[in-house]
Amino acid sequence: MKEPTDYPEDDWLALSGLQHFAFCRRQWALIHIEQQWQDNYLTTAGSLEHDRAHDYSESETRGDLLIMRDLRVFSRRLGITGACDVVEFRQSDEGVPLHGRAGTWLPYPVEYKHGVPKQVDADRLQLCAEAMCLEEMLACSIPEGSLFYQQTKRRERVQFDESLRGQIVAMTSEMHDLFSRGHTPKVRPSKACRACSLSDICLPKIAKTRSAQQFIEESVQAGVEGVAG
């Protein structure tokens, strides 16, 4: 298996794909390998709210706090690149120097998300990957960051522990392997597929299986019950 340090810039993958990959490997492959996409009400709402997080493209200073929006990051070790919604830099003797800024600064990534906090780690993994990129770029340590959810209007603090970091290393390695082979994996349909914007694209490709057909029937029945209720 290729070591992460071997990834040249031309092979870097989208950091945001980690969230797709954590939710469903097939969804990730359809989007990032086959270049297929389709919006539903969830992705549309999320995009609108995400755009509002990027209203200001320039940095903003509030006392000893520097707020950087839409900050581009990358990791040669992981072979990923993307943009952080917000990185807050707090002036501190324990921080790192920033080009064009006096003093030293501690970075703190903040990602904006639609809805409410989730049980699964998809959002936390994306945030932690952003922190790992920043650590590599700035040669520093970032122990935590926050997720801001639009419905609750509250921040959820995320500790970047070894478990999250280990998952990211393993997942990015698997992503690179699938991408290099151009392979879209098969998955077993589940109730989570109902909220996926790619269900119309994905399910017909696996609808010949018994499990997929059962899922479709269950989804139709659930829709009927929803209307009746």
Side-chain angles (χ1 to χ4, degrees):
M1 181 180 295
K2 182 186 289 186
E3 291 296 324
T5 51
D6 293 337
Y7 298 127
E9 187 172 349
D10 288 345
D11 291 342
W12 291 354
L13 301 175
L15 185 157
S16 59
L18 272 164
Q19 188 182 35
H20 299 137
F21 196 81
F23 175 74
C24 173
R25 282 157 169 74
R26 183 174 177 83
Q27 184 200 65
W28 172 83
L30 287 171
I31 295 171
H32 296 272
I33 296 178
E34 298 188 17
Q35 298 293 301
Q36 299 196 61
W37 180 251
Q38 183 171 300
D39 277 320
N40 65 5
Y41 75 97
L42 290 174
T43 59
T44 300
S47 295
L48 291 173
E49 291 170 351
H50 193 269
D51 288 345
R52 284 197 288 272
H54 292 176
D55 280 347
Y56 303 98
S57 60
E58 297 183 357
S59 61
E60 176 185 356
T61 304
R62 301 176 185 173
D64 64 351
L65 181 65
L66 171 64
I67 301 173
M68 301 291 290
R69 303 177 189 276
D70 200 25
L71 183 64
R72 304 298 301 183
V73 295
F74 64 86
S75 167
R76 292 185 175 90
R77 184 173 71 90
L78 299 172
I80 55 176
T81 184
C84 303
D85 282 349
V86 170
V87 180
E88 298 176 347
F89 290 90
R90 182 79 62 178
Q91 198 161 25
S92 169
D93 292 338
E94 300 177 359
V96 295
L98 296 178
H99 180 70
R101 298 279 176 177
T104 53
W105 306 77
L106 283 175
Y108 189 90
V110 182
E111 191 71 13
Y112 285 73
K113 294 297 180 185
H114 174 69
V116 297
K118 304 171 182 64
Q119 295 296 320
V120 296
D121 279 335
D123 293 345
R124 301 178 189 95
L125 286 164
Q126 180 184 351
L127 183 68
C128 184
E130 293 175 3
M132 292 172 72
C133 288
L134 287 165
E135 288 176 333
E136 186 176 321
M137 293 168 64
L138 299 174
C140 67
S141 177
I142 303 176
E144 72 169 52
S146 284
L147 295 165
F148 180 86
Y149 287 93
Q150 295 291 345
Q151 285 193 24
T152 62
K153 304 297 182 185
R154 296 176 63 89
R155 287 188 176 188
E156 176 191 286
R157 294 174 60 182
V158 179
Q159 299 291 327
F160 303 138
D161 57 25
E162 291 306 313
S163 175
L164 277 181
R165 293 171 183 270
Q167 288 182 70
I168 290 166
V169 171
M171 289 168 65
T172 51
S173 177
E174 188 178 349
M175 287 162 60
H176 279 284
D177 176 62
L178 291 172
F179 194 89
S180 65
R181 294 189 290 119
H183 176 65
T184 300
K186 297 179 180 179
V187 295
R188 184 184 297 276
S190 69
K191 292 181 179 180
C193 297
R194 302 180 189 183
C196 178
S197 65
L198 298 183
S199 58
D200 291 342
I201 297 172
C202 177
L203 288 175
K205 295 185 177 183
I206 55 175
K208 293 181 180 180
T209 67
R210 178 180 174 85
S211 59
Q213 187 60 43
Q214 289 175 338
F215 167 75
I216 292 171
E217 292 172 357
E218 290 173 1
S219 297
V220 171
Q221 182 60 35
V224 171
E225 292 173 354
V227 172

